[in-house]
Amino acid sequence: MSSAGSGRNARRQSSELDLDELMARVASGDRDAFGPVYDAVSGPVMGLVSRILRDPAQAEEVTQDVLVEVWRTSGRFRRERGKAMTWVMVLAHRRAVDRVRSTQALRDREQRAALLEQTTPFDEVTEQVEARLERQEVRRCLRTLTEIQRESVALAYYQGLTYREVARSLSLPLGTVKTRLRDGLIRLRDCLGGEP
């Protein structure tokens, strides 16, 4: 390795050690140590956050949040677990991903709200007729089940019992109840025109 290359490696290792030491000082409340930490990490943090968010204004805001978090939570940094830069970059990545998720969630909520505004007004009579027809169709399909299947489905889905409670109620093994429920639900789905 050339002397120039070894010099750069030595400076990088020295700066990493310095940053680790500075973080330890920040954690102990040394305000003066935070300035050099800020100078060392703000550029890489902004670069990472910008690549994730792709919106300069949001990237600046998240970068600022990360740097404030570094100051507030510096006591959580543990030298024995890794380098200070790695710790800071993990914080930055998490904050940026959280921002992407919250921005997407906001867009989704706004889109759902817009769709709700576009839906046709609720027609109560039509809704009642459709519900009545669906109930009649379900009753007709329930009659196609065996007695045990019908009882199992009724106990589980209409009375809200668990599989174990259905098994106890019918004095049947749990496996038998699960099989009969599965078979009954498959027959109901087929009868009601569900997808295979």
Side-chain angles (χ1 to χ4, degrees), residues 95-167:
R95 279 289 180 125
V97 169
D98 286 348
R99 177 62 65 97
V100 168
R101 288 178 179 151
S102 69
T103 301
Q104 185 60 49
L106 177 61
R107 280 191 203 120
D108 292 347
R109 281 193 303 275
E110 288 172 349
Q111 187 175 23
R112 283 193 301 270
L115 288 174
L116 285 175
E117 290 174 4
Q118 294 175 357
T119 58
T120 57
F122 179 70
D123 183 347
E124 191 174 327
V125 174
T126 303
E127 190 71 24
Q128 288 175 354
V129 169
E130 287 176 358
R132 187 175 305 129
L133 291 173
E134 286 173 5
R135 283 193 300 272
Q136 289 173 352
E137 185 68 8
V138 168
R139 284 189 196 111
R140 183 187 66 76
C141 290
L142 277 170
R143 287 192 294 268
T144 67
L145 302 180
T146 67
E147 185 64 30
I148 294 293
Q149 288 172 339
R150 190 169 36 255
E151 283 181 291
S152 299
V153 169
L155 290 171
Y157 292 96
Y158 292 116
Q159 293 185 22
L161 300 181
T162 65
Y163 288 160
R164 290 189 189 289
E165 291 169 335
V166 171

Side-chain angles (χ1 to χ4, degrees), residues 22-29 34 37 64-79 81 84 87-92 94-95:
L22 287 167
M23 281 297 293
R25 287 175 43 200
V26 170
S28 67
F34 187 69
V37 169
Q64 189 63 37
D65 290 346
V66 169
L67 294 169
V68 168
E69 186 175 0
V70 167
W71 168 254
R72 286 184 29 251
T73 64
S74 58
R76 294 182 189 162
F77 169 66
R78 298 287 177 260
R79 293 174 95 168
R81 292 178 142 180
W87 182 75
V88 171
M89 296 305 275
V90 167
L91 291 177
R94 286 181 184 158
R95 279 289 180 125

Side-chain angles (χ1 to χ4, degrees), residues 160-196:
L161 300 181
T162 65
Y163 288 160
R164 290 189 189 289
E165 291 169 335
V166 171
R168 273 196 298 269
S169 177
L170 297 176
S171 301
L172 292 170
L174 180 61
T176 302
V177 166
K178 286 182 178 181
T179 300
R180 293 200 175 139
L181 268 168
R182 185 195 70 228
D183 293 345
L185 290 174
I186 289 170
R187 286 179 71 181
L188 275 175
R189 181 195 65 202
D190 293 344
C191 179
L192 292 168
E195 294 179 9

